[in-house]
Amino acid sequence: MISRAEKSANYVVLVAFALFAIAPILTVLQAAFGTPDAGGSSSPGNLGNFADAWRIGHFGTYLRMSLAVSVFVVVVSVLLSILSGFAFGVIRFRGSGPLFYLFLLGIMMPSEAIVVPLYFDLRSLGLTDTFWAVALPQVAQSVAFGTFWMRAWFRSSSRTLVEAARLDGASTRRVLWQILVPLARPAIVTMTVLVFMWTWNEFLIPLVMVTDENLRTAPLGLAFFQGQYTQGFTLLAAGAVIVATPVVVLYLFLQRHFIAGMLEGAVRE
Amino acid sequence: MRSSRRTGSPPGEPRRIAYLYLLPGFAVYAAFLLYPLLRAVQLSFYDWDGLTLGRWIGFDNYREIISDEGLRSAFGHALILMVFFAVVPVCVGLLLASILNRAKVRGLPFFRTVVFLPQVVAMVVVAVAWRRIYAPDGSLNDLLGALGLDSLQRGWLGDYTLALPAVGFVGTWFETGLVTVLLLAGMGRISGDLYEAARLDGAGPVREFFAVTLPSVRGEIAVASTLTVIAALRTFDLVYVTTGGGPGNSTSVPSYEVYHRAFELGRVGSAAAIGVTLTVVILAISLLINRIGDRDTAS
């Protein structure tokens, strides 16, 4: 049906589009592995640029903070989302409809709207410039998404299984942790990678909440590094690679979860 | 029990234990999202610099969004960004996805991995990369020079008329992969019989696209539009790192104005009003687009 000419034209389109998508990323990689700017201490082609950027840009500190925030947000929000998603998806209770819509509102709410009052309220509590000011608002955002995500999964999971377990006398807690959660592993992994990515890449909340350099996350550190380090691009590129690598590596291993999660979890009821 | 299955709601009697399961998640959510949203609404009625006592001014901050030229143009810029973030990627994505869907080319999974990659890279990193590309000695000008188009070379992000399209183009680059992958997934679900019937009727690729492909992926188009339009309204990181709203205020957008006013100008009430407006606009757009998408798939 489809001619050879059309087929090869399709490959041309495919390759051109792939190149377009990856070209800016390659620009950064090429600079990061390339000849160092004047003042650099390394020869081209080795990892010296990364060592220089790591030292001058304090990326070690930033990565540690990013890792701490991301792990905390992932663990707490996944746990809380399983609990609330279970309540909405499996148990019947008064007010579940309106309460669920209240959670849905959180998915749509942009950080821009809440970050202003949050900053001034946390400041009067003396909580700005702390780990908690960066982590807790992101837990709240992730719980809004996670509740929505886990509810959808629990609703689609086998209802007869839950009923049978209950007839056997299993408690609600056992139904959740010993029957449903092991089955929900794919959904939980997807939620974990998405929340990790969103938290790692978040910029506005740490920018507003933190002035102490030791509490900067990796993207925030990179933005400041760009402001300070203006002679040449090599070290900035190396810093950018350092900041992007953890999520990109995770993506290469778990891309199915990333793509499915971002497409399905996007907006749908 | 039968009735509960029909309505799709969980079985059994209403049980209070649900509230116990909800409590911890809801507590964090209420404290760090719902309460701040209410506070934002409250603050938006005040003239407050963040330090001294605020002054109640009613709807003045909202009126300013319409009357102030700088703010009006910020919202106008967001509209222009929607063309770059949503309209162009959906059109290009439709074209690419239908081409790729027609001929089952090999290597599609690899292709998907590559074009989706921008979505997982931190926006700050994306902004750093594109700032470099647009720099006076950057690769875009190198490319133009190599093509003999030296007259077009410029500092793209410093140009009053071209800075906004330049920022918008980053959005096109960022969203096109996402939209294409989304549409490809939708087109993969179209039954082959439909295409065969269309071909038996003598439809060419173009008629096939409008008669079969396009109607079948309306739902996906709605999802893609919602995602990308919202992304166009939430461009804070990109604008902050690439241009800082400049030159002049030629690339300022509402999400940037929130930050700028609250933390640089000390106009907290105005910032809160913009934030609330942004939330309302995002809610309205997602409801509207989903309503249209649902009606279309239903008919």
Side-chain angles (χ1 to χ4, degrees):
Chain A
M1 268 298 186
I2 284 144
S3 67
R4 182 172 289 253
E6 190 186 335
K7 202 151 200 178
S8 37
N10 285 340
Y11 277 108
V12 173
V13 172
L14 202 68
V15 171
F17 185 33
L19 280 178
F20 172 65
I22 209 163
I25 298 167
L26 290 181
T27 311
V28 174
L29 278 176
Q30 186 199 11
F33 284 99
T35 324
D37 309 319
S41 60
S42 53
S43 55
N46 63 22
L47 298 175
N49 294 328
F50 293 96
D52 286 348
W54 186 275
R55 190 169 42 77
I56 300 169
H58 309 291
F59 281 103
T61 318
Y62 306 150
L63 286 186
R64 211 177 311 129
M65 175 69 178
S66 270
L67 194 66
V69 172
S70 305
V71 169
F72 178 83
V73 172
V74 165
V75 171
V76 176
S77 63
V78 166
L79 204 66
L80 298 187
S81 303
I82 290 174
L83 293 176
S84 50
F86 174 69
F88 281 121
V90 178
I91 313 176
R92 208 153 75 89
F93 61 98
R94 243 173 252 287
S96 67
L99 272 174
F100 180 66
Y101 279 108
L102 211 54
F103 271 94
L104 268 188
L105 181 67
I107 303 180
M108 310 274 182
M109 215 186 293
S111 311
E112 287 86 348
I114 53 136
V115 80
V116 172
L118 209 47
Y119 170 79
F120 290 102
D121 285 343
L122 290 177
R123 192 184 65 179
S124 56
L125 294 171
L127 279 174
T128 48
D129 243 348
T130 62
F131 173 85
W132 308 110
V134 179
L136 288 175
Q138 298 191 73
V139 172
Q141 291 176 324
S142 307
V143 164
F145 167 77
T147 301
F148 162 78
W149 179 253
M150 290 314 297
R151 169 188 175 268
W153 195 89
F154 283 130
R155 279 181 83 115
S156 70
S157 68
S158 165
R159 193 160 290 154
T160 45
L161 200 66
V162 176
E163 282 167 28
R166 220 176 258 157
L167 286 177
D168 280 351
S171 65
T172 310
R173 195 157 43 139
R174 268 199 53 180
V175 170
L176 173 60
W177 294 110
Q178 294 189 352
I179 298 172
L180 289 178
V181 165
L183 287 171
R185 240 189 46 197
I188 294 173
V189 172
T190 303
M191 178 169 64
T192 301
V193 297
L194 289 183
V195 170
F196 177 79
M197 173 182 72
W198 287 329
T199 311
W200 186 276
N201 291 348
E202 172 65 38
F203 182 66
L204 179 61
I205 290 176
L207 173 70
V208 168
M209 293 298 168
V210 153
T211 49
D212 182 353
E213 216 201 302
N214 292 315
L215 292 174
R216 277 182 198 160
T217 59
L220 190 57
L222 181 66
F224 278 96
F225 190 49
Q226 165 167 273
Q228 287 155 4
Y229 180 82
T230 44
Q231 58 278 56
F233 183 61
T234 309
L235 294 193
L236 189 58
V241 172
I242 292 172
V243 172
T245 298
V247 181
V248 171
V249 168
L250 200 63
Y251 168 71
L252 293 179
F253 283 105
L254 296 169
Q255 46 155 311
R256 254 167 228 277
H257 285 281
F258 275 90
I259 296 179
M262 287 176 77
L263 299 189
E264 287 164 23
V267 269
R268 293 258 101 169
E269 219 288 45
Chain B
M1 209 166 270
R2 184 172 296 161
S3 76
S4 77
R5 191 170 299 170
R6 198 167 49 221
T7 56
S9 67
E13 291 300 300
R15 294 190 304 139
R16 298 240 175 84
I17 196 161
Y19 300 114
L20 212 60
Y21 280 87
L22 267 185
L23 185 67
F26 188 75
V28 179
Y29 173 64
F32 289 92
L33 276 188
L34 281 184
Y35 177 70
L37 183 67
L38 294 178
R39 285 278 287 153
V41 173
Q42 186 196 11
L43 282 177
S44 69
F45 295 115
Y46 282 85
D47 178 22
W48 188 40
D49 61 5
L51 299 166
T52 55
L53 208 60
R55 189 169 59 88
W56 172 272
I57 53 166
F59 281 91
D60 279 7
N61 286 324
Y62 291 97
R63 268 183 219 117
E64 196 191 354
I65 294 176
I66 301 163
S67 63
D68 183 86
E69 204 177 320
L71 277 184
R72 224 174 36 216
S73 66
F75 277 90
H77 295 155
L79 275 180
I80 294 174
L81 287 186
M82 281 181 203
V83 174
F84 283 96
F85 274 71
V87 179
V88 176
V90 168
C91 294
V92 174
L94 271 172
L95 186 69
L96 284 171
S98 52
I99 289 174
L100 296 175
N101 187 54
R102 222 174 103 77
K104 310 283 183 215
V105 285
R106 284 192 302 158
L108 205 58
F110 174 75
F111 166 79
R112 217 172 53 146
T113 308
V114 170
V115 299
F116 201 80
L117 185 64
Q119 288 290 321
V120 307
V121 175
M123 197 35 112
V124 176
V125 172
V126 168
V128 164
W130 280 91
R131 228 176 97 108
R132 177 63 194 165
I133 292 170
Y134 286 139
D137 61 343
S139 29
L140 179 56
N141 282 339
D142 287 350
L143 184 70
L144 289 172
L147 294 172
L149 298 166
D150 301 49
S151 59
L152 293 177
Q153 291 176 336
R154 66 195 73 216
W156 294 88
L157 295 173
D159 188 299
Y160 274 85
T161 46
L162 288 173
L164 187 65
V167 170
F169 188 71
V170 179
T172 305
W173 170 79
F174 185 71
E175 300 292 353
T176 304
L178 171 79
V179 173
T180 307
V181 172
L182 183 61
L183 291 172
L184 262 177
M187 290 178 191
R189 284 191 287 268
I190 302 174
S191 152
D193 298 351
L194 286 174
Y195 286 111
E196 222 154 275
R199 274 170 214 173
L200 284 177
D201 281 352
V206 176
R207 273 235 349 243
E208 206 176 280
F209 173 78
F210 283 105
V212 180
T213 313
L214 198 57
S216 307
V217 293
R218 273 179 181 164
E220 279 79 10
I221 294 175
V223 173
S225 310
T226 315
L227 282 179
T228 51
V229 166
I230 291 176
L233 286 168
R234 304 188 55 187
T235 42
F236 174 77
D237 344 17
L238 181 61
V239 168
Y240 181 87
V241 176
T242 49
T243 64
N249 66 355
S250 60
T251 57
S252 87
V253 288
S255 59
Y256 181 77
E257 283 296 323
V258 171
Y259 176 84
H260 181 57
R261 287 181 176 240
F263 303 109
E264 290 171 352
L265 298 181
R267 298 207 46 208
V268 179
S270 171
I274 300 169
V276 171
T277 308
L278 210 52
T279 309
V280 172
V281 169
I282 286 176
L283 276 177
I285 287 174
S286 22
L287 285 179
L288 186 78
I289 295 181
N290 278 315
R291 186 66 50 87
I292 295 171
D294 284 347
R295 195 175 43 221
D296 282 355
T297 38
S299 64

